């Protein structure tokens, strides 16, 4: 065998299991569903109303013969993180939508634009965490009986061989689709040029393209396993064939909207074109192209929304953007079990938190290590007392609640413990119990050198932080980002934790320093 033939076979033994946090959202945004008719009928907008969970879905659709659900760009978000109320998204709520739709007797096909993960090397949980989340995301699509999944550069960043090998382990669905990508012979069965999805008796032809420039940005030694061709020239004959074998034709574009528009203009036979999004919250109605024949949509990012098309016997088409909120949809049991039990067990078994690849904290004094807030209390008792009355001091408790244990989830641990990702920082409740919660050293840096020599000016300066500096360095928004803390305002939140001048340092004992025990090995690997 040639080298290119051997690589995928070796990796077939890889068995990734599991998942990602699905999109968190800002409850202040108005995302009530709107509709748009086919160009054969008038364009209408539904009133902005809150639909109770017991209401019939798509209630104003009269006798649709089938439907198509489109998701995409999940970007590692398998479920709302739960750090604030009003978040939306999640594979559990998506499953509930599908189940309720089918229970109403409406046959529904399901396709996904891809990008189940995003930039795994820079993810909070790291590369290994992203691999597990990718595996769970695929397992969820299998469980929801998805018909097609577009090949994306984001997913290939896990490693071309690794990603394709995981696709090989899929059973019947979803089929991985890329009309302009030719794999080498070992992976020829993995990638399909097109798929026919059935919504009852309605045949829906689906193909996709991967933008060549997006694949060019994938840094991997095995990129030669895939050949990315011209999107237009590749898809033209595929569309011609789909027009013979399906009633509706759909193009998924893993690339910028400009490419999607270019292809739609050159290939007006497509009824629906889906482009990648640049924002979490997509527009609520399609852009009509080709005199209304083609509908261009985005489904947003982080799994917060899905787009649903309804098809009718008179050939008209309607569209609804669905926000996956907690009012109408619940976290359906199969997906809850997948995340709460299977994924968390995989995190624990793989040692994702304990064995996280740690690095030195360049902001701290050379050689400094994390010591915990109890040590800081010796000289800063008033500051310590204030900290104990903030949510920061109870951050660890919030990820160890019954039924939602996140002790082994690096995505959560990174903001609910102290010093995680750094040498001598958080490892586990057993190895580093003194670093539970979001403590002083997450902002000020590892404190051992300052503790041992409190009057050493160079050590004090390393740890000194002002409000201006904290804001400029983005210390708070590392955790209080748009997903986890959508209403965050620096001035308001900083006022709750400000502690300048709270302690008196005239007592000579605070200048003597504390003799710390020698460091102990905390990493299991």
């Amino acid at each position: 065998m040639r080298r290119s033939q051997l690589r995928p076979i070796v990796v077939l033994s890889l068995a990734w299991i599991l998942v990602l946090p699905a999109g968190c959202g800002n409850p202040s945004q108005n995302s009530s569903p709107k509709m748009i008719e086919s160009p054969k009928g008038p364009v209408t907008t539904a009133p902005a109303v809150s639909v109770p969970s017991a209401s019939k879905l798509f209630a104003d659709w009269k006798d649709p013969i089938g439907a198509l659900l489109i998701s995409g760009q999940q970007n590692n978000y398998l479920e709302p993180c739960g750090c604030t109320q009003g978040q939306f998204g999640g594979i559990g709520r998506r499953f509930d939508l599908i189940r309720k739709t089918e229970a109403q007797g409406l046959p529904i096909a399901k396709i996904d634009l891809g990008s189940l993960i995003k930039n795994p090397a820079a993810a909070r949980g790291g590369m290994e965490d992203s691999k597990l989340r990718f595996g769970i995301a695929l397992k969820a699509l299998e469980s929801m009986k998805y018909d097609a999944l577009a090949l994306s550069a984001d997913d290939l960043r896990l490693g071309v061989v690794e990603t394709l090998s995981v696709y090989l382990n899929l059973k019947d669905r979803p089929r991985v689709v890329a009309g302009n990508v030719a794999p080498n012979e070992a992976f020829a069965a993995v990638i399909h040029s097109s798929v026919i999805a059935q919504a009852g008796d309605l045949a829906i032809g689906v193909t996709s393209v991967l933008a060549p420039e997006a694949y060019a940005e994938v840094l991997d030694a095995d990129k030669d396993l895939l050949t990315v061709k011209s999107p237009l020239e590749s898809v033209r004959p595929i569309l011609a064939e789909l027009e013979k074998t399906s009633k509706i034709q759909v193009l998924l574009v893993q690339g910028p909207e400009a490419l999607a528009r270019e292809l739609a203009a050159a290939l007006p036979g497509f009824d629906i074109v889906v482009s990648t999004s640049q924002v979490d919250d997509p527009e609520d109605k399609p852009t009509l192209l080709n005199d209304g024949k083609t509908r261009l949509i985005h489904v947003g990012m982080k799994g917060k929304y899905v787009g649903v098309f309804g098809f009718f016997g008179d050939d008209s088409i309607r569209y609804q953007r669905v926000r996956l909120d907690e009012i109408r949809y619940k976290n359906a049991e199969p997906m809850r079990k997948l995340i709460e039990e299977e994924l968390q067990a995989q995190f624990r078994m793989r040692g994702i938190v304990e064995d996280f690849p740690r690095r030195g904290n360049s902001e701290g004094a050379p050689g400094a290590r994390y010591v915990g807030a109890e040590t800081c209390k010796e000289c800063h008792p008033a500051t310590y007392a204030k900290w104990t009355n903030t949510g920061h001091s109870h951050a660890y408790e919030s990820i160890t609640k019954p039924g939602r244990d996140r002790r082994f989830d690096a995505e959560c641990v990174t903001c609910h413990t102290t010093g995680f990702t750094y040498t001598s920082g958080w490892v586990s409740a057993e190895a580093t119990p003194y670093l539970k919660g979001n403590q002083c050293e997450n902002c000020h840096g590892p404190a051992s050198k300052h503790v041992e020599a409190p009057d050493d000016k160079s050590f004090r300066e390393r740890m000194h932080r002002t409000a201006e500096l904290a804001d400029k360095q983005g210390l708070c928004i590392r955790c209080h980002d748009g997903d986890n803390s959508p209403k965050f305002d620096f001035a308001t939140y900083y006022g709750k934790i400000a502690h300048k001048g709270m302690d008196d340092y005239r007592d000579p004992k605070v200048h003597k320093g504390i003799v710390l025990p020698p460091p102990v090995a905390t990493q299991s690997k």
Side-chain angles (χ1 to χ4, degrees), residues 32-112:
S32 299
K34 296 186 178 181
M35 314 285 191
I36 184 163
E37 292 281 6
S38 157
K40 295 183 179 181
V43 175
T44 61
T45 301
V49 294
S50 177
V51 182
S53 58
S55 296
K56 182 180 179 181
L57 300 176
F58 317 112
D60 63 343
W61 288 7
K62 184 173 177 57
D63 301 325
I65 60 175
L68 173 66
L69 180 145
I70 306 173
S71 55
Q73 290 182 270
Q74 197 167 290
N75 292 359
N76 259 23
Y77 285 77
L78 289 171
E79 63 172 352
C81 63
C83 290
T84 188
Q85 294 183 337
Q87 297 173 329
F88 43 97
I91 59 173
R93 293 173 185 169
R94 195 194 309 172
F95 185 93
D96 192 40
L97 165 65
I98 292 170
R99 183 169 56 185
K100 288 177 177 177
T101 302
E102 293 175 337
Q104 292 176 181
L106 178 57
I108 186 167
K110 285 91 58 178
I111 62 177
D112 193 277

Side-chain angles (χ1 to χ4, degrees), residues 251-265:
L251 174 64
L252 303 172
V253 180
Q254 263 291 338
E257 182 175 329
L259 175 61
R261 286 177 174 271
E262 175 188 333
L263 293 173

Side-chain angles (χ1 to χ4, degrees), residues 253-518:
V253 180
Q254 263 291 338
E257 182 175 329
L259 175 61
R261 286 177 174 271
E262 175 188 333
L263 293 173
L267 304 169
F270 282 109
D271 300 281
I272 298 167
V273 176
V274 186
S275 171
T276 54
S277 303
Q278 296 301 311
V279 295
D280 293 359
D281 305 287
E283 59 277 10
D284 56 7
K285 57 185 178 181
T287 298
L288 299 180
L289 306 174
N290 299 325
D291 296 323
K293 166 66 172 71
T294 304
R295 301 150 189 84
L296 171 66
I297 69 162
H298 307 83
V299 292
M301 297 190 290
K302 303 177 183 178
K304 293 160 59 175
Y305 300 87
V306 295
V308 181
F309 283 94
F311 306 102
F312 300 82
D314 62 356
D315 290 340
S316 65
I317 300 175
R318 300 191 70 180
Y319 176 76
Q320 181 168 322
R321 182 196 66 176
V322 180
R323 185 183 75 179
L324 298 173
D325 59 50
E326 60 189 0
I327 298 174
R328 292 176 291 182
Y329 309 106
K330 65 181 182 179
N331 187 18
E333 177 56 27
M335 299 298 103
R336 186 210 64 80
K337 185 174 182 180
L338 199 60
I339 296 174
E340 297 292 344
E341 298 178 21
E342 191 170 344
L343 177 61
Q344 302 308 316
Q346 285 292 318
F347 284 155
R348 182 173 186 172
M349 182 179 69
R350 300 286 185 91
I352 295 298
V353 171
E354 292 87 342
D355 299 331
F356 192 89
R358 292 165 170 81
R359 64 190 188 279
N361 188 328
S362 59
E363 296 175 356
R369 54 192 171 94
Y370 290 88
V371 297
E374 286 288 339
T375 303
C376 303
K377 176 184 177 181
E378 295 296 317
C379 297
H380 304 278
T383 300
Y384 176 86
K386 179 164 185 175
W387 170 76
T388 60
N389 289 311
T390 68
H392 284 170
S393 68
H394 302 290
Y396 187 72
E397 298 166 21
S398 67
I399 62 171
T400 57
K401 295 178 180 179
R404 193 177 174 84
D405 187 344
R406 293 293 185 270
R407 290 173 295 161
F408 309 102
D409 189 332
E411 290 266 4
C412 298
V413 165
T414 187
C415 286
H416 290 258
T417 62
T418 299
F420 180 64
T421 76
Y422 294 116
T423 304
S424 80
W426 174 266
V427 173
S428 67
E430 294 73 29
T432 51
Y434 52 92
L435 297 178
K436 288 181 179 179
N438 199 315
Q439 301 183 17
C440 319
E441 292 167 291
N442 272 347
C443 291
H444 293 279
S448 64
K449 294 293 185 180
H450 170 63
V451 165
E452 293 171 328
D455 286 344
D456 188 308
K457 186 177 179 181
S458 65
F459 296 156
R460 287 205 312 272
E461 288 179 344
R462 284 271 192 171
M463 302 194 70
H464 182 63
R465 298 287 185 274
T466 64
E468 294 74 20
L469 187 61
D471 191 16
K472 182 179 179 180
Q473 294 181 337
L475 292 179
C476 301
I477 60 173
R478 294 175 186 176
C479 292
H480 290 278
D481 58 18
D483 293 328
N484 304 324
S485 191
K487 295 182 179 180
F488 178 76
D489 172 74
F490 179 83
T492 301
Y493 277 59
Y494 191 82
K496 297 178 180 180
I497 65 165
H499 48 272
K500 182 178 180 180
M502 295 190 69
D503 289 287
D504 186 345
Y505 304 115
R506 290 176 294 181
D507 190 333
K509 72 177 184 179
V510 304
H511 298 275
K512 292 181 179 179
I514 300 172
V515 177
L516 297 170

